[in-house]
Amino acid sequence: QVQLMESGGGLAQPGGSLRISCAASETIFNIGRLAWYRQAPGKELEVVALIQSDGGTWYSDSVKGRFIIARDPTKKTMYMQMKYLKPEDSAVYYCNLEPAQSSWGQGTQVTVSS
């Protein structure tokens, strides 16, 4: 399985920005679809964005227009730029293939609070 490691989370104020990263163990260009998932306390895991090997993207309605997903094959890394953050964006964010493989990373905590 592909090893994936998330980083870059933290605390942001409402309306602020954060960028999170996902480092992969192999060239992500060849992997296929990669996605960002998030899970807030007491809520189910949800897909918020995905990117295909041809660069095509999809966003959930909850983040569309505020988050941008990107991938850099040369660095084996996927990113998500998050802008205009809302308190409801607070969650642990994970990266994984889509459909997800059984192995998950530790995730990165994003907290949006004033």
Side-chain angles (χ1 to χ4, degrees), residues 10-19 38 66-67 81-90 93 110-113:
L11 175 65
Q13 292 187 340
S17 300
L18 282 174
R19 188 176 82 158
R38 70 183 181 187
R66 301 187 298 119
F67 291 10
Q81 180 69 48
M82 305 183 291
K83 298 182 179 181
Y84 310 114
L85 284 162
K86 304 175 181 180
E88 51 263 44
D89 293 320
S90 298
Y93 285 71
V110 170
T111 302
V112 184
S113 175

Side-chain angles (χ1 to χ4, degrees), residues 51-70:
I51 185 165
Q52 304 189 75
S53 57
D54 64 0
T57 58
W58 171 90
Y59 300 92
S60 68
D61 288 342
S62 62
V63 307
K64 192 177 298 181
R66 301 187 298 119
F67 291 10
I68 299 174
I69 189 172

Side-chain angles (χ1 to χ4, degrees), residues 85-105:
L85 284 162
K86 304 175 181 180
E88 51 263 44
D89 293 320
S90 298
V92 179
Y93 285 71
Y94 303 90
C95 59
N96 207 323
L97 277 65
E98 204 289 324
Q101 60 181 11
S102 59
S103 176
W104 292 82

Side-chain angles (χ1 to χ4, degrees), residues 7-85:
S7 63
L11 175 65
Q13 292 187 340
S17 300
L18 282 174
R19 188 176 82 158
I20 55 178
S21 301
C22 171
S25 60
E26 62 185 73
T27 303
I28 59 176
F29 181 80
N30 297 321
I31 290 178
R33 292 194 300 194
L34 284 167
W36 283 104
Y37 301 75
R38 70 183 181 187
Q39 187 167 30
K43 295 189 175 181
E44 293 186 353
L45 188 71
E46 63 171 336
V47 180
V48 296
L50 65 83
I51 185 165
Q52 304 189 75
S53 57
D54 64 0
T57 58
W58 171 90
Y59 300 92
S60 68
D61 288 342
S62 62
V63 307
K64 192 177 298 181
R66 301 187 298 119
F67 291 10
I68 299 174
I69 189 172
R71 62 200 290 170
D72 184 342
T74 63
K75 297 182 179 180
K76 302 180 184 179
T77 303
M78 177 177 68
Y79 305 95
M80 187 156 72
Q81 180 69 48
M82 305 183 291
K83 298 182 179 181
Y84 310 114
L85 284 162

